Amino acid sequence: QVQLVESGGGLVQAGGSLRLSCAASGSIFRINTMGWSRQAPGKQRELVAIIRSRGSTNYADSVKDRFTISRDNAKNTVYLQMNSLKPEDTAVYYCNAEGSGLTYWGQGTQVTVSS
């Protein structure tokens, strides 16, 4: 099993920044790809960004050039730096980890962007 714990959410004004962290523990040797998804009220969960074990990344078009995903393998932690936040970025953000054919999810952290 892999446990994921997110932190760093909160309330911020439009144009502001937040940094989310996700610490992994447990059977971390299973992990290959880590990422962030989000779910806004009344909407489906959507992928925001992923980072693979060798560092390659992919982003949703809606966050490109504003969000940056990074990974500290020594700390088993993945980060999401969010800049130029918009009200439409308001959502619960979930960390996920994939490996050995399994996907693990964190409990989520709320990000609210006020206009």
Side-chain angles (χ1 to χ4, degrees):
Q1 287 288 339
V2 173
Q3 294 79 44
L4 302 172
V5 179
E6 301 106 330
S7 60
L11 173 64
V12 64
Q13 289 188 333
S17 298
L18 281 175
R19 187 195 196 204
L20 305 183
S21 299
C22 173
S25 61
S27 302
I28 56 176
F29 61 90
R30 296 177 178 269
I31 297 175
N32 178 15
T33 301
M34 297 188 75
W36 292 92
S37 297
R38 67 186 181 186
Q39 187 166 19
K43 295 187 177 181
Q44 290 188 331
R45 190 174 297 189
E46 63 171 348
L47 181 66
V48 174
I50 62 169
I51 183 166
R52 299 173 185 85
S53 58
R54 295 190 177 186
S56 62
T57 59
N58 286 97
Y59 295 91
D61 287 342
S62 58
V63 306
K64 278 181 181 177
D65 301 323
R66 298 190 298 123
F67 291 10
T68 302
I69 190 170
S70 60
R71 183 170 178 172
D72 186 334
N73 289 326
K75 294 183 178 180
N76 302 314
T77 300
V78 64
Y79 305 96
L80 186 68
Q81 178 66 43
M82 305 185 293
N83 299 328
S84 302
L85 283 161
K86 305 175 181 180
E88 50 264 44
D89 294 317
T90 295
V92 177
Y93 284 70
Y94 297 91
C95 173
N96 70 276
E98 297 181 3
S100 301
L102 300 173
T103 301
Y104 305 91
W105 292 93
Q107 81 285 355
T109 185
Q110 177 70 46
V111 171
T112 303
V113 185
S114 63
S115 57

